[in-house]
Amino acid sequence: MALRATAVGKPRRVPVVQHLPGVGQNLQDHPGFGCVWEYEQPLAPRNTGCEATYFWKSDPALDTPDLQTGQGEFPFSSAETAARFDLPEFGWALLAGVVRPKSRGHISLTGPDPTDPVQIQANMLSHPDDLKAAITAVQLCREIGNSAALRPFAKREAMPGNLTGAELERFIRDAASTYWHQSCTAKMGHDAMSVVDGTLKVSGIEHLRIADGSIMPRVTTGNTMAPASSSANAQPSFSRPSTHSDIAQQGIRMAGRGSDQHLTGRDCGLNGEQSLDRAA
């Protein structure tokens, strides 16, 4: 929201310096849904508390996985589900996530003062396909969590249990939480809703670039820290004079060393394409 507070975008009661209607729009995040089991023997969280994950497809016909689940060594819940379910003091969770969401939210100012609160409309699960994928994600978590392989570690399934239909949908909406991957509100591209170009430069503003997760046109299929850090690491090279050919050759590694997820000059929009990654 720094752009809007400085009169870039569609600021609220602030004189406009550059009209960029995409500022604050296109908000994306990975919604997560905690499924919880009670430990057979109490165990305290160790190390990071979440060190296992998997990717899966909600539909075999999809080109790439659209689900990601993280295993947590604690009984993860939302305030709403904690009030409804008998959660254990010691438990573990499978946090089902939708990582190719179609829902879009927005961020806006509530006033011209920098200290005025920011209004965030996440719009999670507003697209029906996201709800459909979330149902599959939770069902898969239950299948794995209740499997014979994990039975020695589970005294009971605490949440959600064998819910179907409207009750399962209610659980998913109550359980929906952020994966803390909020991004895409100053997207890269060349259309009317784009904010930065392929060199991270804010359209129409000299000497101003953005180098964080907000520049992604679409949230990555997985965690966002490495892509955001890669954008920041690339920014100094973009600040120097460079040709489109130079940018296309260098590329930006998007998901850390040893990964095949990357952002190239083509993805920077040099030929109009804006896809940021392709999960293996």
Side-chain angles (χ1 to χ4, degrees):
M1 283 294 93
L3 287 181
R4 287 199 168 186
T6 53
V8 178
K10 296 190 301 181
R12 186 182 179 91
R13 300 195 299 277
V14 179
V16 176
V17 171
Q18 177 67 20
H19 179 62
L20 292 175
V23 173
Q25 302 299 309
N26 195 45
L27 174 63
Q28 299 172 47
D29 193 7
H30 295 147
F33 318 91
C35 303
V36 176
W37 286 260
E38 183 176 2
Y39 274 122
E40 184 66 41
Q41 298 293 331
L43 290 174
R46 296 156 295 176
N47 302 318
T48 67
C50 185
E51 297 184 334
T53 189
Y54 64 79
F55 290 85
W56 203 253
K57 296 180 181 180
S58 64
D59 183 341
L62 294 174
D63 292 334
T64 187
D66 62 333
L67 307 178
Q68 179 184 7
T69 292
Q71 191 272 329
E73 300 177 25
F74 45 88
F76 185 92
S77 66
S78 67
E80 291 80 3
T81 55
R84 286 183 55 201
F85 292 86
D86 179 23
L87 298 181
E89 179 180 1
F90 295 96
W92 52 275
L94 292 177
L95 183 60
V98 176
V99 291
R100 302 278 288 190
K102 297 180 180 179
S103 301
R104 300 291 184 265
H106 62 269
I107 305 174
S108 58
L109 301 178
T110 61
D113 194 294
T115 63
D116 290 333
V118 173
Q119 184 178 60
I120 302 174
Q121 185 63 47
N123 281 340
M124 281 186 177
L125 301 178
S126 59
H127 196 289
D129 287 354
D130 292 351
L131 178 61
K132 183 179 178 180
I135 290 173
T136 301
V138 169
Q139 291 172 334
L140 180 59
C141 284
R142 293 195 63 244
E143 181 179 349
I144 293 173
N146 292 321
S147 66
L150 294 181
R151 200 166 296 150
F153 306 99
K155 182 177 181 179
R156 67 182 177 95
E157 179 187 2
M159 183 174 77
N162 189 25
L163 303 179
T164 60
E167 281 301 307
L168 178 56
E169 180 177 331
R170 178 192 174 191
F171 165 76
I172 287 171
R173 293 192 180 280
D174 284 347
S177 304
T178 177
Y179 244 104
W180 300 282
H181 295 164
Q182 296 93 344
S183 52
C184 307
T185 52
K187 75 169 187 171
M188 180 188 295
H190 299 294
D191 63 19
M193 297 302 288
S194 297
V195 178
V196 302
D197 64 15
T199 65
L200 309 182
K201 181 180 178 295
V202 177
S203 299
I205 303 293
E206 293 297 323
H207 310 300
L208 179 60
R209 284 179 165 85
I210 301 174
D212 58 27
S214 68
I215 61 96
M216 297 187 288
R218 176 181 55 75
V219 66
T220 48
T221 307
N223 294 45
T224 53
M225 181 176 179
S229 297
S230 296
S231 298
N233 291 336
Q235 189 277 329
S237 66
F238 288 145
S239 297
R240 298 189 295 269
S242 181
T243 66
H244 279 182
S245 177
D246 293 334
I247 298 168
Q249 288 297 320
Q250 67 181 352
I252 306 170
R253 294 300 301 177
M254 284 301 292
R257 296 178 179 176
S259 170
D260 65 351
Q261 293 184 340
H262 63 280
L263 175 63
T264 66
R266 172 178 294 181
D267 295 318
C268 286
L270 302 183
N271 68 347
E273 296 184 16
Q274 297 177 6
S275 176
L276 281 179
D277 71 329
R278 171 73 66 176

